[in-house]
Amino acid sequence: QVQLVESGGGLVQAGGSLRLSCAASGRTFSSYSMGWFRQVPGKEREFVASITRSGDSTDYKDSVKGRFTISRDNAKNTVYLQMNSLKPEDTAVYYCAASNFILAALVKSYIYWGQGTQVTVSS
């Protein structure tokens, strides 16, 4: 069992930056690939970024490539999402999740989820 708790969301102006963190409980954090997803009301949850167990490979949604960076610190049981050059369309609740698959982009591939953190980008 892994419990995930996101933090770092908030209100930011377009062009600004935020860093999301996701702290995991348990000693098995490094055995999971991790991902970030986001969801706006009335829409399906969508993939944003993923990272392998060791952190040596990453994958991103096309619209965030070059602006967002996913990273992890296995010693601290934490995964991060650095978001730069934020746009109003990045506004959503952001979730971190854990998966047994490598660099999965599908919601159904993830087995543990956090409660989400709100990110609001004003224009």
Side-chain angles (χ1 to χ4, degrees), residues 25-46:
S25 65
R27 294 179 290 180
T28 59
F29 174 73
S30 61
S31 65
Y32 296 98
S33 290
M34 298 298 296
W36 285 97
F37 289 75
R38 65 189 183 188
Q39 188 170 24
V40 298
K43 293 190 176 181
E44 294 186 351
R45 193 167 296 187
E46 66 174 10

Side-chain angles (χ1 to χ4, degrees), residues 5 11 39-40 44 49-50 53 67 80 92 100 122-123:
V5 179
L11 174 64
Q39 188 170 24
V40 298
E44 294 186 351
S50 61
R53 298 175 182 88
R67 300 189 297 121
Y80 305 96
N100 288 316
S122 63
S123 57

Side-chain angles (χ1 to χ4, degrees), residues 57-97:
S57 291
T58 57
D59 189 26
Y60 297 92
K61 176 182 174 62
D62 284 346
S63 63
V64 308
K65 286 181 180 177
R67 300 189 297 121
F68 291 11
T69 302
I70 187 172
S71 62
R72 67 189 297 165
D73 185 337
N74 287 340
K76 295 183 178 180
N77 281 8
T78 303
V79 61
Y80 305 96
L81 186 68
Q82 178 67 45
M83 305 186 295
N84 299 328
S85 302
L86 282 161
K87 304 175 181 180
E89 52 263 43
D90 295 319
T91 296
V93 177
Y94 283 71
Y95 299 88
C96 70

